[in-house]
Amino acid sequence: MPVTADLTKLVDKAYQDKTLTEIVDAPVSALAGVSDGDAKLLKDAFNITTVGDLGRNPYFRTANALVALAGGK
C-alpha cells in the first residue's frame, strides 16, 4: 500500500521530493534543523552519517523509547 507524508517540515528543501528510501540513505544533515556541524559531531561521536544510521542507532532508539514510555515528556 502506498504511503504519503508531508515531509516539508521534517527535511531540508532539497530532500522534500525524495523517496523515503532516498531520505533514509541521505546525510543526516538532510533533516531539518541538523546542520553540517551537527552532522560532523554525530559522525565523530557515534559514526552516524545517514538518516538511517541515526534512526537505527541503539542509543537514540533507547532514548526515544524511554521518552515514549514517560508519556512524551
Side-chain angles (χ1 to χ4, degrees):
M1 167 184 358
V3 176
T4 59
D6 181 7
L7 303 176
T8 56
K9 294 184 179 175
L10 302 176
V11 298
D12 287 343
K13 187 172 180 120
Y15 294 91
Q16 291 176 356
D17 293 328
K18 303 291 184 187
T19 66
L20 288 175
T21 300
E22 290 171 318
I23 293 170
V24 168
D25 292 338
V28 71
S29 59
L31 295 172
V34 178
S35 69
D36 289 336
D38 296 333
K40 181 179 179 340
L41 293 171
L42 286 167
K43 166 84 170 130
D44 293 346
F46 299 104
N47 199 32
I48 291 171
T49 59
T50 68
V51 173
D53 292 341
L54 181 63
R56 289 184 291 269
N57 180 278
Y59 301 113
F60 290 94
R61 289 177 65 128
T62 298
N64 190 42
L66 291 169
V67 169
L69 289 170
K73 295 180 181 185

